[in-house]
Amino acid sequence: MRSLLERYSGLIRIASIVGIVIGLFLVMQTLPVGDGVRRLEGWIDGLGFWGPLVFAVIYIIAAVAFIPGAALTIAAGALFGLVWGTIAASVASTTAAALAFLIGRYIARDAVQQQAQRYSKFRAVDRAIGEEGWKIVALLRLAPVFPFNAGNYLLGLTAVRFWPYVFASWIAMLPGTFLYVYFGYLGRASVEAAGGVGERNVLEWIMLTLGVLAILGLVVYIVRFALRALAAHTDMDLPTERDAEQTETATKDSAGCAARSWRAAVLPGVSIVVLVLGACAQLNPNWLTSLFRPPAVVMVEAYEHRDDGPGFDHAEFDRMLAAYVSDENGGGWIDYRAWKADDREALQTYIGRIGEADCDALGRDEKLALLINAYNAFTIELIFEYWDGGELDTIRDIPSVRRWDDERWQVGENTWSLNQIEHEQIR
């Protein structure tokens, strides 16, 4: 009589995976995930047009070098989103397949032929391609009888022509590529939600989940169809569901009851551990976050008061603030359009004076006033640089690497970013 773990193994497996996902989500909510996501966004923004291209080059090198591409395809969805992620991964995987094909056909043919002997199904595939051509290549891409990296080289030994091979590979790999990219995109959305970056309502989460389930179902159907088609066109002994079940049963019987129970309990055990960690993180967030915090620091006053020290004239900046900053609706409304048109040159002159200030000679209060006004002046000038006639809706539309962490602003002899001025100096 089978144990409960064996009888309900499918249900337990699904429940365990769901438990792991929930546990990880609870854990990530208490960790500084948001900072990591923002750094990732900054890195992507900094790459600009070159981002997908750099990724594609890395992908191609990895695939040609027999490094599995599934993780990189998932990463494409996390880094570039559904559309650009799919384009980058599809172009990269197709290019890698083409390069490996040419290497297998012209450069390392003898070595690939020796490796082909390890794959018992290759002869049947070779004969089928000789009769059906690119159609068999497409079926092999939909139902990977061979590992992707090895298959690229092996197909170079067959009679299929290069361009039909490339086209068939590109089209047939798209469903699987999109599925993996979708996994990466969904994973990033989950991390952003856990870190408080980006907001999605319940309906959006339902649509994302239904989307990945629909694509997964479609890919499973396509793979089964391709396996049946391959069996019909070749004499390969492709495994059927019944064969797989019989093999699995025989393996279980030979392994013994104790081994079966241990293996079946691994995934539920991991799920329980992760759920407990998630619960502990929610009940006592400081316990988990303390593991990732930097050492505690003691805040001390860095600058002394100087009644007889030099000062800095902020009258011109005060005039501009009075002219273009409104106190209506709670205050803080800035007429950027008028300020940029009428007084940007005066603002830049004031910023130039900040760069020439004897910052080290200022007393504590004078230095603080200079830093606060400098931060505001620099931020307004940054907005003017990307204003574009009023098309800039929010400062977040400015590329991240040009926004808070760009070390370009001169305060006396120091060159700082806006973040450094705010957090390292003012605070």
Side-chain angles (χ1 to χ4, degrees), residues 120-266:
S120 59
K121 301 181 180 67
F122 178 71
R123 289 187 179 181
V125 169
D126 191 15
R127 286 194 297 270
I129 289 178
E131 298 173 0
E132 302 289 342
W134 62 268
K135 298 177 183 177
I136 304 300
V137 174
L139 292 174
L140 288 170
R141 294 305 187 188
L142 293 171
V145 175
F146 309 116
F148 171 73
N149 306 79
N152 297 331
Y153 289 95
L154 293 175
L155 290 172
L157 303 177
T158 67
V160 65
R161 291 182 296 171
F162 176 71
W163 288 114
Y165 160 83
V166 172
F167 183 77
S169 297
W170 170 59
I171 291 294
M173 289 191 299
L174 271 177
T177 298
F178 187 71
L179 175 63
Y180 281 112
V181 169
Y182 204 117
F183 281 141
Y185 176 75
L186 188 60
R188 177 175 175 178
S190 302
V191 171
E192 288 178 341
V197 181
E199 297 181 357
R200 297 180 185 272
N201 56 41
V202 176
L203 180 60
E204 288 177 319
W205 281 112
I206 292 175
M207 295 303 295
L208 282 173
T209 304
L210 291 177
V212 74
L213 291 176
I215 298 168
L216 179 60
L218 177 62
V219 170
V220 170
Y221 173 80
I222 290 174
V223 169
R224 290 188 174 184
F225 170 82
L227 282 171
R228 289 195 296 268
L230 278 173
H233 286 83
T234 68
D235 56 356
M236 285 190 295
D237 186 18
L238 296 173
T240 63
E241 293 181 8
R242 185 174 180 181
D243 294 334
E245 183 178 354
Q246 291 174 349
T247 302
E248 182 180 0
T249 301
T251 303
K252 287 181 178 180
D253 291 340
S254 62
C257 180
R260 293 199 305 269
S261 300
W262 181 85
R263 286 196 300 269
V266 169

Side-chain angles (χ1 to χ4, degrees), residues 60-367:
I60 292 168
I61 294 173
V64 173
F66 284 89
I67 298 174
L72 286 171
T73 308
I74 293 173
L79 292 173
F80 307 112
L82 284 177
V83 176
W84 282 107
T86 301
I87 293 173
S90 179
V91 171
S93 60
T94 304
T95 304
L99 286 176
F101 178 91
L102 293 175
I103 292 172
R105 174 163 289 186
Y106 298 110
I107 299 176
R109 189 177 183 89
D110 293 339
V112 175
Q113 283 178 334
Q114 292 179 357
Q115 293 298 317
Q117 298 175 5
R118 299 172 50 190
Y119 298 94
S120 59
K121 301 181 180 67
F122 178 71
R123 289 187 179 181
V125 169
D126 191 15
R127 286 194 297 270
I129 289 178
E131 298 173 0
E132 302 289 342
W134 62 268
K135 298 177 183 177
I136 304 300
V137 174
L139 292 174
L140 288 170
R141 294 305 187 188
L142 293 171
V145 175
F146 309 116
F148 171 73
N149 306 79
N152 297 331
Y153 289 95
L154 293 175
L155 290 172
L157 303 177
T158 67
V160 65
R161 291 182 296 171
F162 176 71
W163 288 114
Y165 160 83
V166 172
F167 183 77
S169 297
W170 170 59
I171 291 294
M173 289 191 299
L174 271 177
T177 298
F178 187 71
L179 175 63
Y180 281 112
V181 169
Y182 204 117
F183 281 141
Y185 176 75
L186 188 60
R188 177 175 175 178
S190 302
V191 171
E192 288 178 341
V197 181
E199 297 181 357
R200 297 180 185 272
N201 56 41
V202 176
L203 180 60
E204 288 177 319
W205 281 112
I206 292 175
M207 295 303 295
L208 282 173
T209 304
L210 291 177
V212 74
L213 291 176
I215 298 168
L216 179 60
L218 177 62
V219 170
V220 170
Y221 173 80
I222 290 174
V223 169
R224 290 188 174 184
F225 170 82
L227 282 171
R228 289 195 296 268
L230 278 173
H233 286 83
T234 68
D235 56 356
M236 285 190 295
D237 186 18
L238 296 173
T240 63
E241 293 181 8
R242 185 174 180 181
D243 294 334
E245 183 178 354
Q246 291 174 349
T247 302
E248 182 180 0
T249 301
T251 303
K252 287 181 178 180
D253 291 340
S254 62
C257 180
R260 293 199 305 269
S261 300
W262 181 85
R263 286 196 300 269
V266 169
L267 193 59
V270 173
S271 176
I272 292 172
V273 171
V274 175
L275 280 172
V276 170
L277 283 175
C280 292
Q282 291 295 315
L283 293 173
N284 186 10
N286 292 330
W287 166 73
L288 188 61
T289 54
S290 63
L291 300 176
F292 297 90
R293 286 185 185 140
V297 296
V298 178
M299 302 296 290
V300 296
E301 182 61 65
Y303 305 107
E304 61 179 332
H305 291 275
R306 293 182 183 175
D307 295 331
D308 57 348
F312 189 90
D313 185 8
H314 299 283
E316 184 65 5
F317 189 58
D318 292 338
R319 177 192 68 78
M320 289 183 280
L321 292 176
Y324 303 110
V325 180
S326 171
D327 292 331
E328 298 179 1
N329 300 322
W333 291 92
I334 301 177
D335 188 351
Y336 292 106
R337 189 182 302 276
W339 193 340
K340 184 175 186 295
D342 301 336
D343 260 336
R344 185 180 183 186
E345 185 175 346
L347 176 66
Q348 291 174 334
T349 300
Y350 175 73
I351 289 174
R353 289 182 52 236
I354 292 175
E356 298 171 355
D358 188 2
C359 192
D360 293 335
L362 296 176
R364 186 257 186 199
D365 293 341
E366 289 77 12
K367 186 186 293 287

